[in-house]
Amino acid sequence: MYRFLFSARWLGWFALVMLIAAGCVGLGRWQFERREAVVENIERIEANYDAVPEQYEPGTRLLDSFDPAREWTPVTFVGRYDLANQVVVRNRPLNGQPGYEVLTPLRLEDGTAVIIDRGWLPIGNAEAGRPDQVPAPPPGEVEVTARIKPGEPPVNRGAPEGQVASIDLPSLGDGLDYPLQEAAYGLLALERPAAAQTPIAAPKPSIDEGPHLSYALQWFAFGVLAFVGLGYAARQQRRSDAERYGAAPAETVRRRRPSAEEEEDAILDAQGPGVGKR
């Protein structure tokens, strides 16, 4: 009936379908993993973003280590901005518009410093590759509330003087004559006193899960459909073979019981030519 399925051709098709299904399952699992990472980040945002700010205790070097569970936690620091070592990060889009982020070291009472990302600036019109103006931070002692973010890995890409390609904290600390806490930085939420002019504040991160769950289910469905397609092709092959060799499909074959006259004729035929039929 379906013995052709054990031919080399059909075993090859089965192996191909297995490969396709395995790829679909792998892609579905990958989408599930991406969704899990997004959901975990959303949970951190909801738990930490609007929490009551913690007060930095001098000497604790809070940002010399980073706990992913504390990302977005607001912390209040007291110190002085080091304007001389302020830099901007290149290639930082916001709402589809290219621009920069302003990084300024904040020197703390314990002699260390933390990097504060003070906000976003658009690409300038006066000089290519630079913002038109970088607003200065407030002078003197300032109280800064910032949300903790992990540092970024270095990138193999250069930048003009006064600019960097990523928030690579160890690299930023190399040019300073004081110790920089190098595991995390702060995304500015509030300055007291406020600067006369400030960069555009970073928006609250999205808490949308995205389409990862639906994509995962679609990939699993594609894997199942591969087997459905193989089964349909096998059924069509079976019907084609039946038509080619003049046999009806097995499910349409019905055995007819011989009549009494046909049975009697068969007995007479078996007795030889001397016996006549009725």
Side-chain angles (χ1 to χ4, degrees):
M1 215 187 318
Y2 284 99
R3 281 177 294 183
F4 62 86
L5 291 176
F6 296 97
S7 66
R9 175 169 171 261
W10 280 92
L11 288 175
W13 282 116
F14 180 73
L16 179 61
V17 168
M18 288 287 290
L19 184 62
I20 293 172
C24 290
V25 169
L27 289 169
R29 289 173 60 87
W30 173 62
Q31 287 291 344
F32 267 132
E33 290 170 0
R34 292 189 65 188
R35 177 180 179 270
E36 289 173 1
V38 170
V39 169
E40 184 178 350
N41 188 50
I42 289 174
E43 291 173 349
R44 283 196 299 267
I45 294 169
E46 292 178 335
N48 299 337
Y49 194 87
D50 294 319
V52 176
E54 301 178 8
Q55 188 71 38
Y56 174 77
E57 296 293 336
T60 59
R61 299 181 71 108
L62 177 67
L63 303 192
D64 258 346
S65 61
F66 178 73
D67 179 2
R70 288 175 54 79
E71 186 175 6
W72 304 108
T73 299
V75 178
T76 298
F77 303 91
V78 176
R80 294 173 179 268
Y81 280 118
D82 180 8
L83 181 58
N85 288 294
Q86 178 172 272
V87 295
V88 296
V89 195
R90 296 170 58 82
N91 300 319
R92 298 287 157 151
L94 179 66
N95 297 327
Q97 182 179 358
Y100 310 85
E101 290 178 18
V102 182
L103 306 180
T104 313
L106 181 69
R107 301 191 65 171
L108 307 176
E109 298 172 320
D110 57 12
T112 67
V114 296
I115 292 292
I116 301 297
D117 184 335
R118 299 185 55 241
W120 183 85
L121 297 173
I123 286 180
N125 298 314
E127 184 179 355
R130 294 185 180 276
D132 285 340
Q133 180 184 9
V134 181
E141 188 173 85
V142 61
E143 187 178 75
V144 175
T145 298
R147 294 183 173 91
I148 297 175
K149 292 280 293 175
E152 299 174 357
V155 296
N156 188 22
R157 190 169 63 239
E161 183 179 357
Q163 300 184 17
V164 294
S166 74
I167 308 179
D168 174 20
L169 298 174
S171 177
L172 291 172
D174 287 344
L176 304 178
D177 58 3
Y178 45 82
L180 178 70
Q181 299 186 38
E182 297 180 344
Y185 67 98
L187 192 62
L188 180 65
L190 182 66
E191 289 174 330
R192 293 177 293 269
Q197 186 178 0
T198 60
I200 298 173
K204 184 174 181 177
S206 172
I207 56 173
D208 181 13
E209 290 186 15
H212 301 299
L213 178 58
S214 62
Y215 286 170
L217 296 177
Q218 286 175 22
W219 281 117
F220 291 143
F222 291 155
V224 172
L225 286 174
F227 286 102
V228 172
L230 181 66
Y232 178 78
R235 187 164 180 244
Q236 293 298 103
Q237 180 68 52
R238 178 170 172 263
R239 287 184 173 180
S240 176
D241 290 346
E243 292 174 0
R244 181 182 305 170
Y245 298 113
E251 61 267 19
T252 63
V253 174
R254 297 289 183 271
R255 290 186 176 273
R256 185 174 62 84
R257 184 180 181 85
S259 66
E261 290 79 5
E262 290 172 337
E263 290 179 350
E264 184 177 347
D265 288 343
I267 294 172
L268 294 174
D269 288 340
Q271 292 176 353
V275 179
K277 295 182 182 180
R278 290 188 298 174

